[in-house]
Amino acid sequence: SKFGDHHRSATEVLLTLNRASDIVTYDLESTVHRPRGRSWSAYRLMFVIWLAGPIEPNTAARLTGMSRAAVSNLAKPLVDSGHLRKAPVAHDARSVQLSLTPEGEEEIVEVFAAQNEREAAWVDVLSETEQQILVMLLNKLITNRDQFDVRGRN
């Protein structure tokens, strides 16, 4: 063949995985987040802060799979709009702690509910068992990545 010793199914698995991820992310961003004036990335940042509680930007970057610079760029307008709070950290004068304000908390609860409804509509095509198998297979794929020098992305 044109490509020599080609692992066809490996290509098919990863192309399909990326395609599915891109399509679902685009759908969630365009139907849930953009109409509310937010991006997918801003949602991810707020969601992680909501789940983890007050956290430093380095931790937020690690948990979202974003760069530290991306977290700072996303945080600024959220702080300006009153959805995030930046507070100094006692043990490190150079760092801050990001937390949701009551307005931010209210927004993430509402947006998460809307996103979760959309997620449910997407996976409705799969039975409960198929959903569990898919999660199990994807976890198996990403858990065994020690041979790659990649950042852990969530």
Side-chain angles (χ1 to χ4, degrees), residues 68-149:
R68 174 74 173 72
V71 168
S72 289
N73 292 336
L74 286 169
K76 187 173 174 11
L78 292 168
V79 169
D80 293 345
S81 68
H83 292 83
L84 274 189
R85 185 180 302 110
K86 254 187 198 174
V89 177
H91 67 270
D92 183 356
R94 295 164 306 163
S95 194
V96 294
Q97 206 167 47
L98 300 172
S99 59
L100 292 173
T101 63
E103 295 80 5
E105 181 116 10
E106 195 176 303
E107 180 176 315
I108 197 66
V109 167
E110 186 264 321
V111 175
F112 174 71
Q115 170 153 325
N116 191 238
E117 282 304 309
R118 192 75 180 187
E119 290 167 341
W122 267 103
V123 301
D124 195 44
V125 68
L126 303 173
S127 71
E128 251 333 291
T129 304
E130 288 171 330
Q131 292 174 39
Q132 290 167 359
I133 290 169
L134 181 58
V135 168
M136 188 180 73
L137 293 172
L138 291 172
N139 278 326
K140 184 176 182 180
L141 183 69
I142 63 174
T143 301
N144 195 12
R145 63 168 194 262
D146 298 344
Q147 73 270 36
F148 307 113
D149 186 22

